[in-house]
Amino acid sequence: MRFPDDDVTQAVSARPLIFAPATGGTMRFVRGWHLVSPHSRFGGFSALARTAPGRFLLIGDNGYSTRLSLDSRGAVSSVRIRALPTMDGRPARKSMADTEAMFVDADSGKIWVALEIVNQIWRLDAGLSQIESRRKLPEPRWPRNRGPEAMARLADGRTVIFSEDADDDPRGREALIWTGDPAAPDPAPIRFFYDSAGRGLVSDAAALPDGRILLVHRRLGFDPVFTTIIAIVDPADIEKDAVVRSRTIGRVPAALAENYEGAAISVEQGRTWLWLVADNNFNVWQRSLLLQFELVDLPPKKQPDSKKAAR
């Protein structure tokens, strides 16, 4: 028997989605594309960053990254698809490079990734060629396939990570927050719990300009198979063993339903944009969709308790 050779063509095209832009609501659809490539490792996207205007970094749960530029007409250029570095130097494979979330430091360009199965946080250099530091999540160990799923760097420098479905606890799903570098040996994180209140499992997180955390939830069903619900969490509610809850701001329209696992926030000319990318699981019936929404009139932040403020 002969097996097909891998295609390593460095090319991506973006097919515009035919769906009308929204004019009302807090989360307003702007436009979207179906991303396709002949490259054998393209797809499975579970992490997204917008590194500059029109410039994106996508990482799949197969341990491959894709950098590309996308202009206002949907033309794709500057494509680079490559494997992430690995702990042992061997080719990337899902069992050792199942990347589920990331954030990029705007100043240094360094990239932090959260990996399921091995349950680790890595800090990578800006060129994605070297693991600078890595750290296992603290015990008790999160389940191999329900570990770190969403991660965001907050404006105050803290890093928050939400598990997909860790810890069988009635208070909610386990999450962690660090005051320092989560890939460094110290300090230890603070544990808290997130109650999704029926929205589904968290699939990614992104920091909003006002300091709050945007969460993407994925709920499975039949028609559609995937329901994506977007909510906001206030990090002021996070403290040791606290139960944190969120507030829904919108949903991905049913006509655009997919397995959205990557989110990024950008701000241009005073307007806030949400970008979502879908994990096609390398299935022929799923698509790698990239969507853009505008966030308008977000609910106000909670005011601090007057008695606590007085103290």
Side-chain angles (χ1 to χ4, degrees):
M1 295 179 63
R2 294 191 63 184
F3 295 90
D5 294 330
D6 285 345
D7 191 330
V8 294
T9 303
Q10 298 286 325
V12 176
S13 60
R15 301 170 181 173
L17 302 178
I18 308 302
F19 192 78
T23 58
T26 298
M27 180 176 143
R28 302 178 182 180
F29 175 76
V30 178
R31 54 186 174 171
W33 302 267
H34 178 196
L35 303 178
V36 296
S37 171
H39 197 289
S40 301
R41 300 294 184 267
F42 181 85
F45 299 122
S46 54
L48 171 67
R50 184 177 177 277
T51 56
R55 187 74 177 152
F56 296 90
L57 170 62
L58 308 94
I59 299 182
D61 56 17
N62 62 348
Y64 275 73
S65 67
T66 298
R67 293 186 188 269
L68 57 83
S69 293
L70 180 67
D71 68 16
S72 59
R73 299 174 291 107
V76 180
S77 60
S78 304
V79 174
R80 180 71 188 277
I81 303 170
R82 60 181 296 192
L84 295 179
T86 57
M87 292 182 289
D88 56 11
R90 290 186 292 178
R93 60 195 188 278
K94 186 176 176 67
S95 63
M96 298 298 290
D98 183 359
T99 303
E100 295 293 339
M102 74 166 158
F103 66 82
V104 179
D105 180 73
D107 295 327
S108 67
K110 295 181 186 294
I111 298 151
W112 282 255
V113 295
L115 296 94
E116 212 172 35
I117 300 180
V118 296
N119 283 324
Q120 294 186 13
I121 309 301
W122 295 356
R123 184 180 72 242
L124 306 173
D125 68 313
L128 289 174
S129 60
Q130 179 182 0
I131 303 172
E132 295 184 343
S133 180
R134 61 186 177 93
R135 173 181 183 167
K136 285 188 176 182
L137 293 176
E139 299 294 341
R141 184 178 176 86
W142 282 354
R144 284 172 53 86
N145 292 314
R146 293 180 289 160
E149 189 73 19
M151 177 170 64
R153 166 68 60 82
L154 306 184
D156 60 11
R158 291 182 296 170
T159 299
V160 62
I161 296 180
F162 294 83
S163 72
E164 182 178 23
D165 197 15
D167 198 17
D168 184 16
D169 194 292
R171 290 173 289 182
R173 293 175 177 89
E174 196 170 279
L176 302 168
I177 189 165
W178 279 263
T179 57
D181 183 352
D186 294 308
I190 293 172
R191 182 187 69 165
F192 65 99
F193 296 91
Y194 174 61
D195 179 4
S196 66
R199 296 178 180 88
L201 301 179
V202 173
S203 62
D204 207 5
L208 289 165
D210 65 7
R212 288 181 289 181
I213 306 166
L214 180 140
L215 291 181
V216 182
H217 301 79
R218 173 184 53 198
R219 193 169 65 196
L220 299 180
F222 294 101
D223 188 19
V225 175
F226 301 103
T227 296
T228 302
I229 300 173
I230 309 300
I232 292 177
V233 160
D234 193 333
D237 295 334
I238 297 175
E239 56 186 37
K240 182 177 173 57
D241 292 333
V243 178
V244 175
R245 297 178 176 86
S246 60
R247 180 172 179 177
T248 298
I249 62 168
R251 300 184 178 210
V252 172
L256 301 174
E258 250 305 346
N259 182 33
Y260 295 99
E261 290 202 26
I265 296 290
S266 64
V267 178
E268 297 176 39
Q269 298 178 344
R271 302 171 75 177
T272 302
W273 311 99
L274 165 64
W275 304 85
L276 297 176
V277 71
D279 174 2
N280 67 353
N281 292 304
F282 298 97
N283 287 326
V284 296
W285 58 274
Q286 290 185 257
R287 297 175 293 171
S288 297
L289 300 185
L290 176 65
L291 307 185
Q292 180 184 14
F293 295 85
E294 184 176 10
L295 301 181
V296 180
D297 297 329
L298 292 175
K301 296 177 68 174
K302 292 185 297 185
Q303 296 299 315
D305 182 86
S306 58
K307 292 183 181 179
K308 291 183 179 179
R311 290 198 294 268

